[in-house]
Amino acid sequence: MLKEKEIMEVMKIYENMLATLDKVIIGQKGVKKAVATSILCDRNSKILLTGNTGLGKTTLSNFLASNLNYQRISVTSDMIPNDIQEQLKNSQEMRMLQIDEFNRANGKLQSAFLELFAEKQMSMNGKKYEFNDFYVLATQNSADIAGIFNVPQAVYDRFDVNIYVENLTNEEKRMLLFGDFEPEKKNNLQEQDIITAKSAVEHFNTKRKDEDLMMQIFEIIDNMTMNGKKIFAGSNIRAHKFALKLVKLVAITEGRDYILPTDIVDFVNCLYMHRIDQTKVRLNDENIKEKFEQVKKKILHIKI
């Protein structure tokens, strides 16, 4: 059972994190909310930042890693698993793994990442290296840039969220070009803050009405179809488990110990968009986005 003191502590941690992120990149309110909630609701979150070049993905990634024990891998298309294994084999205590340009990883490298993400271990020369809890914060440019590989659905499914970084508005461009904005470089988020937030999520006692609400939401999402066929490539159980942690954290940051439909609706795209059949995304991009908008409207109309 959550105590008022716990709720107030998490609210303060979340508000401070958002305020600091405002000093890192201009605009991108939705990105900052998704990143903050994903970091604070779990100590093993796997976050993918997707978007065009020059929008601050790497700046944000570097900032988030700056106060943690991290390792950084800048992927090139000719890398082999041994390249990353040699770099990480003595890094079992790392708290964050940064991966730049994730979709430049070839098939063999993606398989190595999959083992690392799924099992928190890697195999090298007949020996297994096991890791403690760690975040993954990967960036990738949009799919129309040369020199990238298709990422298998099984690998995408291991990311808890895929957060799309939008293009800048004209006003935001003006601030960058003619203002005196300088990105904050040092993250003031402490490991204890993460532990406090995660503990509050674990102590969040879902009531029957919370469970009924989330089951309705998950049913709406799972039943998304296009041309009469369901659009998800597989089960969403992994996504739903992370969504539960996330909505609990969101409710706490709103000062509540119960869940509302609004707690998930802003995060539906980043939780589930990357889990659908990627062929459908590429061929029906606008239709897919419209489907997600329809789903969010259904969620908001659930009677509680």
Side-chain angles (χ1 to χ4, degrees), residues 2 71 96 127 138 165 179 187-188 207 224 286 291 301:
L2 275 175
Q71 286 290 324
M96 179 173 286
K127 183 177 179 181
V165 183
N187 188 358
N188 61 8
K207 304 170 185 66
M224 291 175 67
E286 293 304 319
K291 284 286 181 183
H301 282 92

Side-chain angles (χ1 to χ4, degrees), residues 11 42 66 70 98 134 157 167 184 221 276 296:
M11 290 176 69
D42 196 345
S66 65
Y70 72 93
Q98 284 183 278
F134 65 91
D157 189 53
N167 291 328
E184 183 78 26
I221 293 168
I276 67 178
K296 286 186 274 189

Side-chain angles (χ1 to χ4, degrees), residues 126-183:
K127 183 177 179 181
K128 287 186 177 180
Y129 295 84
E130 297 182 351
F131 295 81
N132 295 328
D133 292 345
F134 65 91
Y135 293 109
V136 174
L137 188 52
T139 64
Q140 68 174 15
N141 292 320
S142 298
D144 59 349
I145 295 175
I148 64 172
F149 294 86
N150 288 329
V151 179
Q153 193 64 48
V155 178
Y156 269 138
D157 189 53
R158 289 295 170 176
F159 283 101
D160 296 307
V161 288
N162 180 7
I163 304 168
Y164 191 81
V165 183
E166 301 285 349
N167 291 328
L168 298 173
T169 66
N170 282 337
E171 185 57 35
E172 288 164 354
K173 289 178 185 177
R174 182 184 294 272
M175 291 172 67
L176 277 175
L177 291 169
F178 303 109
D180 57 357
F181 181 80
E182 285 292 334

Side-chain angles (χ1 to χ4, degrees), residues 57-284:
K57 300 187 299 297
T58 301
T59 298
L60 180 57
S61 175
N62 290 341
F63 170 79
L64 290 167
S66 65
N67 204 33
L68 297 172
N69 181 0
Y70 72 93
Q71 286 290 324
R72 180 175 179 177
I73 296 172
S74 296
V75 176
T76 59
S77 57
D78 60 347
M79 268 185 163
I80 59 174
N82 191 64
D83 293 329
I84 65 168
Q85 291 164 346
E86 283 290 344
Q87 182 175 339
L88 297 179
K89 68 180 183 180
N90 296 316
S91 301
Q92 285 89 341
E93 300 299 322
M94 70 176 175
R95 285 292 292 118
M96 179 173 286
L97 174 61
Q98 284 183 278
I99 308 173
D100 295 335
E101 304 206 45
F102 183 79
N103 53 351
R104 291 192 185 276
N106 57 47
K108 290 182 178 180
L109 200 61
Q110 289 170 5
S111 295
F113 280 131
L114 183 58
E115 179 189 14
L116 187 59
F117 294 176
E119 307 295 336
K120 288 195 293 188
Q121 69 177 34
M122 64 183 190
S123 304
M124 180 181 175
N125 300 326
K127 183 177 179 181
K128 287 186 177 180
Y129 295 84
E130 297 182 351
F131 295 81
N132 295 328
D133 292 345
F134 65 91
Y135 293 109
V136 174
L137 188 52
T139 64
Q140 68 174 15
N141 292 320
S142 298
D144 59 349
I145 295 175
I148 64 172
F149 294 86
N150 288 329
V151 179
Q153 193 64 48
V155 178
Y156 269 138
D157 189 53
R158 289 295 170 176
F159 283 101
D160 296 307
V161 288
N162 180 7
I163 304 168
Y164 191 81
V165 183
E166 301 285 349
N167 291 328
L168 298 173
T169 66
N170 282 337
E171 185 57 35
E172 288 164 354
K173 289 178 185 177
R174 182 184 294 272
M175 291 172 67
L176 277 175
L177 291 169
F178 303 109
D180 57 357
F181 181 80
E182 285 292 334
E184 183 78 26
K185 298 231 177 3
K186 189 64 176 176
N187 188 358
N188 61 8
L189 182 69
Q190 302 296 318
E191 183 73 20
Q192 185 57 50
D193 294 335
I194 297 171
I195 293 171
T196 298
K198 181 63 173 74
S199 175
V201 170
E202 291 171 345
H203 291 155
F204 190 107
N205 184 28
T206 52
K207 304 170 185 66
R208 180 61 187 231
K209 64 179 182 179
D210 295 320
E211 295 173 5
D212 290 344
L213 170 62
M214 293 308 299
M215 289 301 293
Q216 288 185 69
I217 291 171
F218 293 154
E219 185 176 5
I220 290 171
I221 293 168
D222 287 339
N223 289 332
M224 291 175 67
T225 61
M226 180 168 286
N227 300 324
K229 296 181 180 180
K230 290 189 176 182
I231 64 175
F232 288 102
S235 168
N236 272 326
I237 292 299
R238 185 177 293 111
H240 295 339
K241 285 182 176 180
F242 188 79
L244 281 172
K245 296 176 186 177
L246 188 145
V247 296
K248 289 176 183 178
L249 190 281
V250 173
I252 294 168
T253 64
E254 295 289 334
R256 290 183 272 105
D257 63 353
Y258 57 90
I259 298 169
L260 295 176
T262 50
D263 293 335
I264 194 173
V265 75
D266 288 340
F267 306 97
V268 169
N269 286 36
C270 66
L271 282 164
Y272 295 98
M273 182 79 82
H274 60 297
R275 302 178 191 276
I276 67 178
D277 186 321
Q278 294 303 301
T279 303
K280 291 185 174 68
V281 174
R282 287 191 290 271
L283 296 180
N284 304 281

